Amino acid sequence: MWYVMQVVSGQENRIVFLVEKMISHKILESCFIPVRRLRKKFHGTWQEVTEKLFPGYVFMISEQPRLLYEELKQIPALTRLLGRCEEYFTSLTEKDVRMLEKLRNGTGGNGNLEVEISRIAVDEGNQIRILSGPLADLEGQIRKVNLHKRIAVVEVEFMGNQLLVHLGVEMVEKIE
């Protein structure tokens, strides 16, 4: 089962470190922050970078949610970072896990989730064709493609909400 814990944005890496250090691997299979690969221009040069896909959230995989919950309560740094209501972490539905697995598109098999850059082609009518990558499974959900910034805005349903997620694209050919 996959679980999501809301934390203070910017503290995700610290929380993953603490959780992995303090919780037994018998209880916690994996703890990670989903990331996306993008290309950004710095000082006139395009460079590949990674950014958090869902800032402020840490994902965990465990088959023992009660034990995981009890162990999480023992981590002092988390008591002030967890959600305001009684449920401190949320189990993802099978539909949410499938959506994340689609984004993963076969990479990061160790439980981590890294969304690769999709390769696209643009035809003479400025129609975009997805050649490879996670966008291939999400064509009907693409709301906007910004070739200048090399991102695609995709609408996905996640945890009961419609979210706009920005994913990296790379134009590999222009068909004329």
Side-chain angles (χ1 to χ4, degrees):
M1 300 269 304
W2 289 38
Y3 297 90
V4 180
M5 180 172 53
Q6 187 173 15
V7 301
V8 173
S9 190
Q11 295 293 310
E12 299 92 346
N13 291 325
R14 178 174 173 263
I15 299 303
V16 168
F17 173 78
L18 286 172
V19 167
E20 287 180 336
K21 182 178 174 184
M22 299 179 79
I23 295 182
S24 166
H25 291 291
K26 293 176 185 173
I27 296 171
L28 181 69
E29 186 179 319
S30 180
C31 182
F32 60 94
I33 305 160
V35 295
R36 63 180 172 229
R37 289 192 173 278
L38 303 164
R39 294 190 45 85
K40 288 193 170 191
K41 202 172 207 176
F42 296 101
H43 306 292
T45 307
W46 287 98
Q47 297 177 14
E48 193 167 300
V49 298
T50 58
E51 293 181 350
K52 294 173 188 124
L53 187 60
F54 303 108
Y57 293 92
V58 171
F59 290 65
M60 297 170 285
I61 300 175
S62 176
E63 294 299 323
Q64 302 178 52
R66 276 209 166 99
L67 288 174
L68 178 61
Y69 174 73
E70 292 303 318
E71 292 284 322
L72 284 172
K73 289 194 321 187
Q74 303 305 314
I75 299 175
L78 294 183
T79 55
R80 65 182 173 77
L81 297 174
L82 297 176
R84 289 182 229 151
C85 61
E86 292 176 30
E87 246 184 82
Y88 290 108
F89 58 95
T90 305
S91 170
L92 292 182
T93 64
E94 192 60 39
K95 184 178 179 181
D96 288 339
V97 172
R98 277 195 313 272
M99 188 276 298
L100 289 170
E101 290 289 350
K102 255 193 228 182
L103 289 177
R104 179 190 305 207
N105 203 29
T107 63
N110 59 352
N112 291 331
L113 195 139
E114 189 171 285
V115 182
E116 295 294 328
I117 296 172
S118 293
R119 297 167 51 93
I120 64 171
V122 180
D123 68 18
E124 58 190 55
N126 284 332
Q127 289 294 103
I128 293 175
R129 243 182 343 123
I130 309 301
L131 302 175
S132 66
L135 288 177
D137 293 331
L138 302 169
E139 282 193 74
Q141 295 166 261
I142 298 171
R143 298 296 169 248
K144 179 180 174 184
V145 175
N146 185 330
L147 293 175
H148 179 70
K149 290 188 175 184
R150 298 186 183 187
I151 59 166
V153 178
V154 181
E155 185 174 359
V156 296
E157 184 178 330
F158 186 66
M159 294 179 61
N161 297 310
Q162 292 298 118
L163 297 177
L164 294 176
V165 178
H166 296 79
L167 302 178
V169 296
E170 184 69 34
M171 186 170 65
V172 294
E173 65 181 273
K174 183 151 177 110
I175 305 166
E176 297 190 31

